[in-house]
């Protein structure tokens, strides 16, 4: 049981294993539709999201909770209300948990510090996206049974990626080795201080990986001069059929979505048995039920 | 005006190489050499008497800031911006307002130098245009004022809020490379060679910057620097993630930078310590880290920080008195004849400020509010 889920970094191996075991049970036996009966879960989203907000909504509804979707575009924050004031007002209506996505790192932690409610981080800036990492670990664990000694390669815009950070901590807690690959402007060498290995050459890196996780590239990274062009990015760090064939036998391909077809992944590379993208999505609901269930 | 005799104190006056028991005389707001007649006599035997502390950068937003400054031994504050009306009281420390270097502090054209101005400072803004900076330095040199520089290349610092390193990466926040500060220091030192005059670098935060300044001082350039207590006492990994305390400007950097700054302060490579005090409202810190307004209450950490450092007492005093006064060509900062009658009485054992004297008047006494 945990009071909040703000980051993987502050979880123990036991916390992670507990959530993964709950998820296995939920997948096997189905969710108890009264586990959160009478409780209100608020999705507080300050950034557009389809996958994550829907996934949390379906998960909470499956446990019998009442879900409020608070979307920034249609809320009073456009009238200048601060995050904390919004959260205070909603909390006063009697809320069990906030599920928060925010463009600034540390925003869910700020709410958790000031408001007496459970807080789940659904992605904050480039900090963390813990539920994504847990569902990725769950998906791989289902395939391999154990992550000990496995090597997962994360490719692309690691610098701006909360998915990469959460996965780094989560996979390492479970005994896996994690490497990053991409251009130095998006994969700074300093990441090695967090316990990862850095590759700049994707062809070299792919040979070593048991699973490769491709990250979404924001097209505005080109205008920020972090990459010379999207074409060059695809040529050097994109996953196409040729590179797919270089992977070890049985290695898996993952992506947190949404995919830029033809940019970080060629369309053809999205087909095939090694691709886990849709399994990631369906496991997402189960993991989020496990998270909501484990909140004290 | 009043006269005051401070008897039998251990006088520590670094600028005049004085470190001995003696009497100090104040008359009409100045230090005089002979005991004035009809003066109030204060026996401070067993205590230490030092020049009044000078803060090179302090934002005064309320009366509480002025009161805190007095309690900490400050007699002169240099303010980057005008303090609000109506907060001053007769015993307050002296506030000198720094004039802008460029019009509207926009970094586009030279601002005039108002009569009486001693220091030109654009606040926490660097001048991106090197040609303009060169002309500003030439002009300041000709009219005899000091240019204070906040060294930051805006293009390199971008949206950064913490020094580049493991903490910024794991907190997932934009970071500022060392080069954002060091390239501007390197540039301005080269410009100083051509333009002449005197340059003062505000709140140095990196080891690399210190190396550049050390080299410039060795070459005989007229350059000085200060450091803030935040950068001496903290680094990126020493503070809890997203704590508003860590939101300061320039950003916190690595532990090795902090250690180098402490060494620089000890050796005198760094001439002064400035508070960069900026009392924030609740609204300014109840936001996600990146959106918090940088600042903090630091007037009360400067002297305790210095006191705790392993360096001779006279050097500690110098960094808060003659150091800043000399760097900014302010006059004062010492207890020689003709200097301002600004002084502090300290407890020799604890370093605690017992009395603050501004212009020959006792403005603060510990244990007894005004």
């Amino acid at each position: 049981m945990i009071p909040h889920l703000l980051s993987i970094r502050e979880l123990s191996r036991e916390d992670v294993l507990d959530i993964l075991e709950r998820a296995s049970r939920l997948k096997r036996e189905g969710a108890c539709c009264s586990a959160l009966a009478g409780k209100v879960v608020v999705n507080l989203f300050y950034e557009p999201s389809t996958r994550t907000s829907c996934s949390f909504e379906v998960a909470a509804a499956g446990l019998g909770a009442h879900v409020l979707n608070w979307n920034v575009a249609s809320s009073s924050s456009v009238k200048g209300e601060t995050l904390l004031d919004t959260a205070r007002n909603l909390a006063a209506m009697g809320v069990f948990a906030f599920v928060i996505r925010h463009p600034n790192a540390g925003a869910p932690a700020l709410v958790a510090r000031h408001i007496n409610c459970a807080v789940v981080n659904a992605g904050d800036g480039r900090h963390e996206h813990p539920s994504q990492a847990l569902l990725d670990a769950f998906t791989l664990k289902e395939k391999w049974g154990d992550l000990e000694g496995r090597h997962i390669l994360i490719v692309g815009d690691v610098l701006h990626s909360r998915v990469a950070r959460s996965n780094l901590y989560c996979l390492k807690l479970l005994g896996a080795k994690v490497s990053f690959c991409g251009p130095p402007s998006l994969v700074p060498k300093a990441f090695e201080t967090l316990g990862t290995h850095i590759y700049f050459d994707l062809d070299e890196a792919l040979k070593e990986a048991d699973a490769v996780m491709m990250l979404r590239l924001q097209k505005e990274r080109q205008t920020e001069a972090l990459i010379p062009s999207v074409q060059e990015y695809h040529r050097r760090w994109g996953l196409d059929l040729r590179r797919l064939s270089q992977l070890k036998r049985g290695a898996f391909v993952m992506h947190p979505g949404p995919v830029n077809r033809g940019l970080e992944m060629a369309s053809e590379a999205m087909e095939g048995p090694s691709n886990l993208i849709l399994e990631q999505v369906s496991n997402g609901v189960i993991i989020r039920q496990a998270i909501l269930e484990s909140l004290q | 005006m009043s006269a005051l005799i401070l008897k039998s104190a251990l006088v520590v006056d670094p600028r005049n190489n004085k470190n001995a028991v003696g009497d100090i005389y104040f008359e009409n707001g100045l230090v005089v050499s002979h005991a004035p007649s009809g003066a109030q006599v204060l026996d401070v035997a067993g205590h230490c008497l030092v020049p009044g502390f000078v803060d090179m950068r302090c934002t005064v937003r309320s009366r509480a800031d002025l009161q805190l400054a007095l309690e900490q031994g400050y007699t002169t504050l240099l303010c980057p911006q005008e303090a609000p009306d109506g907060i001053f009281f007769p015993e307050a420390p002296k506030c000198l307002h720094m004039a802008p270097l460029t019009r509207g502090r926009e970094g586009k054209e030279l601002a005039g130098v108002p009569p009486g101005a001693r220091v030109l400072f654009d606040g926490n803004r660097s001048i991106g245009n090197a040609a303009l900076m060169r002309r500003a330095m030439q002009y300041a040199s000709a009219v005899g004022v000091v240019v204070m520089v906040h060294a930051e290349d805006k293009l390199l610092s971008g949206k950064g809020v913490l020094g580049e390193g493991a903490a910024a990466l794991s907190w997932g926040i934009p970071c500022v490379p060392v080069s954002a500060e060091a390239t501007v220091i390197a540039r301005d030192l080269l410009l100083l060679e051509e333009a002449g005059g005197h340059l003062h670098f505000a709140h140095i935060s990196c080891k690399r910057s210190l190396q550049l300044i050390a080299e410039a001082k060795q070459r005989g350039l007229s350059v000085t620097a200060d450091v803030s207590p935040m950068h001496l006492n903290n680094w990126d990994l020493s503070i809890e993630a997203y704590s508003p305390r860590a939101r300061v400007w320039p950003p916190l950097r690595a532990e090795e930078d902090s250690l180098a700054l402490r060494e620089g302060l000890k050796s005198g490579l760094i001439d002064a310590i400035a508070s960069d005090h900026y009392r924030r409202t609740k609204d300014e810190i109840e936001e996600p880290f990146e959106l918090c307004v940088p600042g903090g209450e630091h007037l009360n950490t400067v002297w305790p920080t210095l006191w705790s450092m392993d360096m001779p007492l006279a050097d500690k005093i110098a960094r808060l008195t003659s150091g800043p006064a000399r760097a900014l060509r302010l006059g004062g900062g010492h207890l020689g004849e003709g200097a301002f009658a600004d002084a502090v009485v300290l407890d020799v054992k604890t370093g605690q400020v017992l009395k603050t004297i501004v212009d020959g008047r006792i403005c603060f006494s510990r244990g007894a509010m005004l």
Side-chain angles (χ1 to χ4, degrees):
Chain A
M1 300 292 273
I2 48 176
H4 307 286
L5 178 61
L6 301 174
S7 69
I8 300 288
R9 195 180 162 91
E10 61 194 28
L11 296 186
S12 67
R13 185 182 153 91
E14 288 63 42
D15 293 330
V16 170
L17 287 174
D18 176 64
I19 293 171
L20 297 180
E21 273 155 30
R22 281 170 193 276
S24 297
R25 178 182 41 82
L26 286 162
K27 194 164 185 174
R28 223 170 35 238
E29 299 169 8
C32 166
C33 58
S34 60
L36 295 184
K39 294 189 168 170
V40 177
V41 173
V42 179
N43 276 339
L44 198 53
F45 276 58
Y46 284 79
E47 268 185 351
S49 152
T50 330
R51 207 166 317 245
T52 308
S53 73
C54 289
S55 182
F56 269 108
E57 185 172 353
V58 172
L63 295 173
H66 183 75
V67 184
L68 280 179
N69 283 304
W70 183 273
N71 192 307
V72 68
S74 58
S75 73
S76 53
S77 76
V78 291
K79 295 175 195 157
E81 187 173 59
T82 66
L83 167 65
L84 273 184
D85 283 340
T86 302
R88 277 186 190 116
N89 278 284
L90 288 166
M93 299 175 197
V95 168
F96 164 67
F98 284 107
V99 176
I100 301 178
R101 168 164 293 190
H102 198 279
N104 295 119
L110 178 75
V111 174
R113 200 160 61 227
H114 285 91
I115 287 157
N116 189 20
C117 257
V119 176
V120 176
N121 180 3
D124 59 333
R126 37 173 111 162
H127 174 224
E128 283 219 33
H129 192 348
S131 63
Q132 179 72 41
L134 289 165
L135 75 89
D136 290 339
F138 182 74
T139 306
L140 287 172
K141 210 163 175 292
E142 277 194 320
K143 298 292 171 193
W144 292 332
D146 192 356
L147 270 60
E148 197 69 45
R150 298 286 186 167
H151 182 185
I152 291 103
L153 176 70
I154 302 179
V155 183
D157 184 2
V158 173
L159 178 63
H160 301 92
S161 174
R162 49 197 175 212
V163 174
R165 286 175 176 78
S166 284
N167 262 301
L168 170 65
Y169 303 131
C170 189
L171 295 168
K172 279 176 64 83
L173 269 183
L174 298 172
K177 176 184 166 191
V178 181
S179 300
F180 291 160
C181 179
S185 52
L186 299 178
V187 186
K189 264 284 188 193
F191 268 119
E192 288 182 341
T193 59
L194 302 185
T196 175
H197 181 77
I198 308 280
Y199 292 94
F200 296 127
D201 183 344
L202 180 57
D203 292 302
E204 181 199 342
L206 283 175
K207 292 181 198 132
E208 311 287 328
D210 297 308
V212 52
M213 196 177 286
M214 304 303 294
L215 298 176
R216 178 180 168 81
L217 183 80
Q218 309 276 338
K219 292 193 175 108
E220 56 266 29
R221 301 298 174 227
Q222 189 186 340
T223 51
E224 293 165 15
L226 292 165
I227 55 165
S229 72
V230 290
Q231 293 79 10
E232 172 139 351
Y233 182 86
H234 181 67
R235 195 168 70 241
R236 290 182 184 273
W237 291 284
L239 192 63
D240 55 17
L241 281 179
R242 179 184 66 80
R243 290 206 166 106
L244 213 51
S245 68
Q246 290 174 0
L247 280 170
K248 283 188 199 170
R249 262 182 88 85
F252 293 110
V253 175
M254 307 173 84
H255 192 299
V259 178
N260 285 306
R261 286 175 181 260
L263 215 173
E264 67 267 9
M265 286 182 90
S267 282
E268 314 86 78
M270 291 182 63
E271 317 296 330
S274 66
N275 187 308
L276 300 181
I277 298 176
L278 284 179
E279 280 187 56
Q280 289 174 272
V281 176
S282 55
N283 284 336
V285 174
I286 311 241
I287 272 293
R288 286 167 181 126
Q289 282 183 332
I291 291 167
L292 291 170
E293 207 193 72
S294 69
L295 294 174
Q296 273 161 358
Chain B
M1 276 180 84
S2 57
L4 181 66
I5 296 173
L6 293 144
K7 276 195 80 69
S8 316
L10 169 64
V11 180
V12 180
D13 180 6
R15 168 80 191 263
N16 297 307
N17 285 320
K18 195 167 174 184
N19 199 337
V21 175
D23 300 344
I24 291 285
Y25 313 122
F26 293 150
E27 189 175 31
N28 296 328
L30 298 175
V31 179
V32 292
S33 57
H34 299 289
S37 56
Q40 178 191 352
V41 179
L42 197 64
D43 187 350
V44 282
H47 296 314
C48 188
L49 184 74
V50 305
F53 295 161
V54 178
D55 191 5
M56 295 176 118
R57 269 184 327 283
C58 171
T59 303
V60 175
R61 298 182 90 183
S62 68
R63 201 185 154 97
D65 294 323
L66 295 168
Q67 187 60 43
L68 181 60
L70 277 181
E71 289 168 18
Q72 294 292 322
Y74 288 101
T75 55
T76 305
L77 308 174
L78 272 95
C79 307
Q81 54 207 24
E82 209 100 45
D85 285 338
I87 62 163
F88 285 91
F89 49 98
E91 297 83 6
K94 293 175 270 193
C95 291
L96 305 177
H97 179 226
M98 293 193 263
L101 181 60
T102 63
R103 191 157 295 147
R105 299 197 151 121
E106 286 178 346
K108 290 184 183 142
E109 47 186 344
L110 295 185
V113 178
R118 300 260 174 75
V119 183
L120 305 183
F121 183 48
D122 267 1
N124 283 351
R125 294 177 180 186
S126 250
I127 296 179
N129 178 339
L132 178 66
M133 185 61 184
R134 188 170 179 272
R135 282 194 290 277
M137 285 161 69
Q138 286 170 329
Y139 191 75
S141 164
V143 300
V145 291
V146 174
V147 174
M148 187 188 281
V149 174
H150 163 79
E152 177 192 351
D153 182 318
K154 271 310 292 176
L155 293 171
L156 282 169
S157 59
K159 292 179 180 162
V161 288
L162 195 68
E164 188 170 51
L169 280 181
S170 67
W171 300 11
I173 51 172
C175 62
V176 182
V178 163
S179 54
E181 178 173 293
T183 54
V184 173
I185 289 180
R187 179 197 76 173
D188 288 355
L189 287 171
L190 290 168
L191 296 176
L192 180 65
E193 285 183 357
E194 295 176 354
H198 178 80
L199 208 54
H200 177 81
F201 290 110
H203 44 228
I204 295 301
S205 72
C206 333
K207 186 178 176 181
R208 191 70 191 85
S209 306
L210 276 183
Q211 291 165 339
L212 290 165
I213 292 167
E215 189 220 33
K217 282 191 167 183
Q218 263 162 19
R219 278 188 292 144
L221 283 177
S222 181
V223 58
T224 48
D226 72 71
V227 63
S228 90
M230 269 311 276
H231 296 95
L232 290 170
N233 292 328
N234 302 282
W235 54 93
D236 55 358
L237 289 168
S238 75
I239 290 194
E240 185 200 350
Y242 309 119
S243 163
R245 275 187 62 232
R247 186 75 176 92
V248 294
W249 206 249
L252 291 182
R253 298 198 167 277
E255 185 175 12
E256 65 161 347
D257 292 299
S258 187
L259 291 172
L261 293 171
R262 292 179 85 91
E263 284 310 309
L265 191 68
K266 274 193 212 171
S267 72
L269 172 58
I270 297 175
D271 306 82
I273 175 167
S275 76
D276 268 337
H277 177 88
Y278 180 91
R279 191 188 293 266
R280 294 177 288 185
T281 64
K282 213 172 153 194
D283 289 353
E284 289 172 327
I285 54 173
E286 279 199 349
E287 287 283 356
F289 187 74
E290 290 163 63
L291 305 181
C292 288
V293 173
E297 291 171 38
H298 302 307
L299 271 172
N300 51 347
T301 60
V302 172
W303 174 239
T305 297
L306 266 173
W307 177 259
S308 71
M309 284 180 68
D310 176 26
M311 57 198 275
L313 177 62
D315 288 352
K316 294 176 187 175
I317 301 297
R319 304 294 179 265
L320 263 181
T321 58
S322 55
R326 223 180 240 165
L328 301 184
R329 313 288 192 255
L330 294 177
H334 66 101
L335 292 171
E337 193 183 344
F340 301 123
D342 297 338
V344 187
V345 179
L346 299 171
D347 185 308
V348 179
K349 287 202 182 74
T350 63
Q352 200 173 44
V353 172
L354 300 176
K355 286 187 193 311
T356 304
I357 299 159
V358 185
D359 284 333
R361 297 200 306 162
I362 301 167
C363 292
F364 167 74
S365 289
R366 183 152 308 273
M369 298 309 276
L370 297 178

